[in-house]
Amino acid sequence: MIKLLSYMLYGVVRLISYLPSSILYFFSDILFLFVYHIFRYRRKVVTSNLKNSFPEKSEKEIKAIRKEFYCHFCDTFIETIKLWTISEKEIRKRCKFIAPEILNKYKTSGKSVVIVFGHYGNWEWLTSINLWIEAYYLPIYKPLHNKVFDKMFLQIRKRFGSRPLAKNDTLRTMISYRNQNKFTTTIFIGDQTPNKRNLNYWTKFLNQDTPVLLGTERIAKKLDQPVIFVHMKKVKRGYYEAHFIPLFDNPKDTAEFEITEKHTRVLEDIIKEEPAYWLWSHKRWKHTKQDSQ
C-alpha cells in the first residue's frame, strides 16, 4: 500500500511540474497559508533557532524573518518540483551563474574542484551548473529509504547532466574521475548536522556551539582540490544568482580545521546579511557538546 501511494504521489508531482511557474507560485502562496498558519510546521524549531542565533533582534524582527522564511521555504519546495521539467531557457533565465570563468580557470589548469555551500537560497537549482560550464557535476546525497521518492529526487537532480553521488561512494568516485583526467565539481553541503558518531569538531556558528562535519576539508586536502564556496543569492522571487567565492587553491597547505572554519564563517556572514533564505526548520542544533563526550 505504501509503495502504491508513493507511485501515485510520484505521478502527481510529475504532472504538477509541467505547470507554468506563475501558477506554481500561486500554489506556493496557498501552501504558505497551510504550512505557516494552520499546520504551523516546525514553528517552535524555527522560532528557537532564530532567537538563539540573533539574541539582539526584537520579537517583531524575529517574527518578520520567520514569516519571510516560510514564504521562501514554500517557494523552494515548488521550485524543486519545477526543476523536474523546467526548460534550459527558463532555468538559465532564473538561475544565473556569475563569473563561471572562475571554474574554467581550474579546468584549464587540470585541477578538479570541491564546491561547498549551505542550505541557502535554492541549493537544488545548482544542478543547472552544467549549462554554464562543461564538467562532471557530482552533488553528494544521502539515499532515501523510500525507493520511489529516492528515484524521484535522483531524476530531479540529474537534470542538465549532473551525476548525483551517494555519500559512501564519494572518495572512491572522485579518485576514479581523477585517474581518468576528468574535470569534476564535487558538491558538499557544509551545514549538515553530524550524527552522534561524528561529533568531532565544534565551533561557534550563529552564536551557538555547533558541530561541523569535516568531510569537505579531509577530502579536499587528500586530493588537493581547490575549495570554492557558492553563494546562492536570491535576487527576487523565482530568480537567483550563483556567486563563486574561491577559498583555497592549495588545500594541502592549510592548517588543520582552517578550511572548515573558513566555509563556516562565509556561510554565517551570508546568513546574517539576509537571514530569511537559510533553512531555519533544519534541526541544526539538536546535539550538544555533552553528546560528544
Side-chain angles (χ1 to χ4, degrees):
M1 179 60 70
I2 293 177
K3 190 173 183 178
L4 177 61
L5 291 173
S6 298
Y7 273 113
M8 290 175 63
L9 182 59
Y10 174 96
V12 170
V13 172
R14 176 76 180 186
L15 289 173
I16 290 174
S17 72
Y18 284 104
L19 293 173
S21 294
S22 57
I23 295 178
L24 287 175
Y25 284 116
F26 172 73
F27 285 156
S28 178
D29 291 338
I30 297 175
L31 181 62
F32 167 77
L33 296 176
F34 283 91
V35 171
Y36 186 72
H37 291 290
I38 299 176
F39 298 119
R40 300 169 67 90
Y41 173 72
R42 290 194 176 182
R43 279 277 288 269
K44 290 183 179 180
V45 172
V46 172
T47 303
S48 176
N49 284 344
L50 284 170
K51 286 184 175 180
N52 291 334
S53 298
F54 304 108
E56 75 284 358
K57 292 189 181 297
S58 67
E59 189 74 20
K60 182 179 179 180
E61 290 174 310
I62 293 294
K63 288 182 177 180
I65 295 171
R66 185 180 66 189
K67 186 175 182 179
E68 189 177 359
F69 158 71
Y70 276 100
C71 289
H72 172 71
F73 177 79
C74 293
D75 280 356
T76 56
F77 177 76
I78 64 99
E79 286 167 359
T80 299
I81 292 175
K82 183 60 181 176
L83 183 60
W84 204 348
T85 56
I86 195 171
S87 68
E88 290 188 9
K89 181 179 179 181
E90 184 173 1
I91 192 67
R92 283 182 66 93
K93 181 178 69 173
R94 290 181 173 274
C95 185
K96 296 183 178 181
F97 285 77
I98 308 302
E101 60 271 15
I102 291 175
L103 289 188
N104 275 318
K105 179 188 72 172
Y106 295 106
K107 182 178 182 180
T108 301
S109 70
K111 296 190 74 172
S112 292
V113 300
V114 164
I115 288 180
V116 60
F117 62 96
H119 288 96
Y120 190 89
N122 189 334
W123 56 94
E124 295 288 357
W125 277 15
L126 275 172
T127 56
S128 63
I129 189 173
N130 278 335
L131 299 178
W132 299 82
I133 177 171
E134 187 177 350
Y136 290 88
Y137 175 78
L138 309 176
I140 299 171
Y141 78 102
K142 183 178 180 181
L144 301 175
H145 294 298
N146 186 300
K147 300 300 181 182
V148 178
F149 293 157
D150 189 59
K151 176 183 177 182
M152 179 176 72
F153 275 100
L154 279 175
Q155 289 180 344
I156 290 173
R157 289 166 177 166
K158 284 181 178 179
R159 287 300 312 278
F160 313 115
S162 67
R163 305 182 179 208
L165 178 59
K167 182 179 178 181
N168 293 336
D169 298 332
T170 301
L171 182 59
R172 176 179 58 81
T173 304
M174 292 175 71
I175 291 174
S176 175
Y177 278 110
R178 184 184 65 175
N179 292 341
Q180 298 174 62
N181 295 318
K182 293 179 178 178
F183 177 69
T184 61
T185 56
T186 308
I187 316 302
F188 292 78
I189 299 183
D191 57 359
Q192 294 278 32
T193 301
N195 57 39
K196 284 191 175 183
R197 298 190 304 274
N198 292 298
L199 301 176
N200 302 314
Y201 182 73
W202 291 79
T203 188
K204 281 289 185 181
F205 175 65
L206 293 174
N207 198 48
Q208 298 160 83
D209 289 327
T210 309
V212 185
L213 285 168
L214 297 172
T216 304
E217 174 171 329
R218 287 172 174 169
I219 291 180
K221 294 181 77 168
K222 185 176 182 66
L223 301 182
D224 199 26
Q225 293 188 357
V227 181
I228 299 173
F229 192 96
V230 173
H231 174 195
M232 283 291 288
K233 181 177 178 63
K234 187 167 187 174
V235 180
K236 60 181 180 179
R237 190 179 200 185
Y239 291 84
Y240 300 86
E241 290 180 350
H243 295 261
F244 297 107
I245 306 172
L247 301 184
F248 298 97
D249 281 353
N250 301 293
K252 282 189 174 181
D253 297 336
T254 62
E256 187 177 20
F257 308 131
E258 185 178 356
I259 293 174
T260 301
E261 276 295 325
K262 182 64 176 179
H263 72 68
T264 301
R265 298 283 77 82
V266 171
L267 176 61
E268 183 178 51
D269 290 342
I270 288 170
I271 294 170
K272 287 180 177 179
E273 184 176 350
E274 293 185 284
Y277 305 136
W278 191 54
L279 189 61
W280 293 102
S281 57
H282 179 39
K283 294 183 179 179
R284 187 65 181 90
W285 293 281
K286 65 181 180 180
H287 297 305
T288 66
K289 277 193 172 182
Q290 292 180 338
D291 295 330
S292 61
Q293 297 174 353

